[in-house]
Amino acid sequence: MRKTWSIALAIAILAAGAAAAAPAGAAPEASRETVKWGPCPADAAAPGLECSTIKVPLDYDDPGGKRIDIAISRLASKNPGQRRGVLLTNPGGPSAGLKFPADLRTAKMPQAVLDSYDLIGFDPRGMAHSTPVTCDLTPEQSAVGNVPPYARDAADVAKRAEQSKAIARHCATSKSAWMLPHVSTANTARDMDSIRAALGEKKISFAGYSWGTHLGAVYTTLYPQRSDRIMLDSNVGPDGWDYANDRLYAQGFDDRFPDFAKFAAAGSATYGLGSTPEQITAKYFDLAARLDKAPVRDIDGPTFRMLTYGFLFSDAGMPLVAKIWQALDKDQPLPPLGPGEVPGVENLVSGRYYMICNDSRWPGSVGTYQRTVAIDRLRHPMFGAAGANVQPCAFWSAPADPPVRVGDRGPSTVLMLQNQRDAATPLAGAEKLRRAFGDRARMVTVDAGGHGVYPYVGNKCADTAATTFLLTGQRPKHDLACAAEPR
């Protein structure tokens, strides 16, 4: 069972109206603390990166009450004459973001952007070096990450429901359950404003990716007049990570898989999986059906589908997917799939449950999930029965606060970036967010696959639009479609 858990863990690792006055819970400017920068924790250390911790209210409705830690980092501009402010960053997840400014530098964020801003990272409340939460999960419970397993039938949904009930119960009774009502995207956005106040900034710019796009959308909805330049890359819908968002994974897989089919067909001499995209697609269904009946090397049908999905978040994962398929097809040893036991994974998974389950109401009836799984298995046979499957959020206590409604009130200072074929945050969700923002946003869509646009894809059209926005505040006059470019 340890090998099966290690494989699952590899998958888990891979993935209010606006008002001019500050909303309730805003950080009081006069009482802000002084940030003292120093060395970063070992797991976030990087050249030039400094770290600190600030105190924020656990409950922003009770600002004088209990306080918790938020760990922050800074990659300071080395060009004081060019520096214009701070750029808060978030890598998505929800996950730790303390090292993310350095990661953006490594990913070749343009030097002009690094000169223009202090890049600020932070661990969201409940996660990593901020005051952490736990659900006291077993390794097996921690191994299922963002996406539940593919449900082959109603019995699989019922089995997953029992597992999800146990996880929700663990979270509700854990030693950090006192934080449970207060870990949410809205409160994380309020923490961002506390960071802004602690840094002495009147406004902040923001670069958020994946779930971080929802965080940025919520921040600029709660604090429109404190939002400078808001760049959102690989976007979830306006309602954030709810059940509808989970079901979109099926569309994301459908959008992305043809890229892999073309890759594997072009490499038919190497992988032997088929010489046309149609043959590669047929091989997917053949392997899934065979593994449903008889697992090979601890890989069953649901795990095979999840491995294929998770490793297609970037083009760099395609050779590994092809090698996995090849090994399973011929009953050969599997290639290395990634890390085994990873420090902090229990907190990562627990923190995600706290955040997403508090943000919205999920259906509570197991029968509802059995019906939607059956529907999505037919509509999206490749992956629909995974995205529609049940999560612990179905058995969660009611959210503490109503969700923030993202809308079109506020300054037009949002730039959205989106790949056309993103398995994790499909274009369909981004288009919903774009409509919700109205004229507040412009969207740059790239004819590319994978999760993450800037500076990851290397598309000159999209990179120019993003860099120009961050440096000058200028957005395209209209939504922009960027053609595919050779890589």
Side-chain angles (χ1 to χ4, degrees), residues 183-197:
V183 178
S184 65
T185 302
N187 278 333
T188 305
R190 295 177 181 112
D191 294 339
M192 286 173 53
D193 203 56
S194 292
I195 295 170
R196 176 202 60 77

Side-chain angles (χ1 to χ4, degrees), residues 169-183:
R169 184 168 59 251
H170 280 219
C171 295
T173 58
S174 74
K175 56 181 175 288
S176 63
W178 56 273
M179 288 184 64
L180 191 61
H182 307 290
V183 178

Side-chain angles (χ1 to χ4, degrees), residues 216-451:
V218 169
Y219 180 84
T220 198
T221 299
L222 291 174
Y223 303 97
Q225 304 309 322
R226 295 178 182 174
S227 301
D228 192 2
R229 297 165 187 176
I230 307 298
M231 188 187 78
L232 308 179
D233 188 320
S234 306
N235 299 265
V236 298
D239 298 320
W241 191 346
D242 57 4
Y243 183 48
N245 180 77
D246 259 23
R247 293 182 71 183
L248 273 182
Y249 293 140
Q251 183 62 59
F253 193 105
D254 289 352
D255 293 344
R256 177 61 166 157
F257 186 82
D259 291 338
F260 172 71
K262 292 176 183 177
F263 168 85
S268 59
T270 300
Y271 304 116
L273 300 170
S275 58
T276 66
E278 292 77 14
Q279 290 176 348
I280 302 301
T281 303
K283 178 64 72 172
Y284 173 86
F285 288 108
D286 173 59
L287 282 170
R290 284 160 51 188
L291 294 166
D292 280 338
K293 293 180 180 178
V296 173
R297 299 183 182 274
D298 287 337
I299 303 293
D300 59 8
T303 305
F304 163 75
R305 295 174 177 93
M306 191 72 77
L307 280 168
T308 301
Y309 173 78
F311 285 115
L312 292 185
F313 282 18
S314 72
D315 288 353
M318 289 186 181
L320 178 57
V321 174
K323 290 176 183 177
I324 292 170
W325 284 30
Q326 185 181 48
L328 293 172
D329 194 32
K330 300 180 183 300
D331 196 11
Q332 295 174 344
L334 290 167
L337 299 181
E341 297 189 40
V342 177
V345 71
E346 196 279 340
N347 169 251
L348 172 67
V349 175
S350 297
R352 287 179 179 175
Y353 286 143
Y354 273 54
M355 191 80 71
I356 67 171
C357 297
N358 277 342
D359 272 358
S360 61
R361 294 184 182 274
W362 292 57
S365 164
V366 175
T368 296
Y369 292 95
Q370 290 172 325
R371 287 189 294 273
T372 52
V373 162
I375 291 169
D376 286 7
R377 190 187 297 112
L378 293 175
R379 289 178 176 172
H380 304 280
M382 284 190 148
F383 206 62
N389 205 354
V390 63
Q391 292 266 38
C393 303
F395 310 104
W396 211 254
S397 57
D401 297 312
V404 174
R405 185 177 182 85
V406 175
D408 59 359
R409 296 179 60 191
S412 300
T413 56
V414 178
L415 182 70
M416 299 170 58
L417 306 172
Q418 182 70 34
N419 286 326
Q420 288 183 2
R421 300 178 299 282
D422 185 331
T425 53
L427 177 62
E431 290 173 335
K432 291 180 181 179
L433 180 61
R434 174 66 184 88
R435 291 192 293 269
F437 268 132
D439 198 51
R440 290 202 68 189
R442 294 287 183 269
M443 186 160 76
V444 177
T445 307
V446 185
D447 184 0
H451 191 46

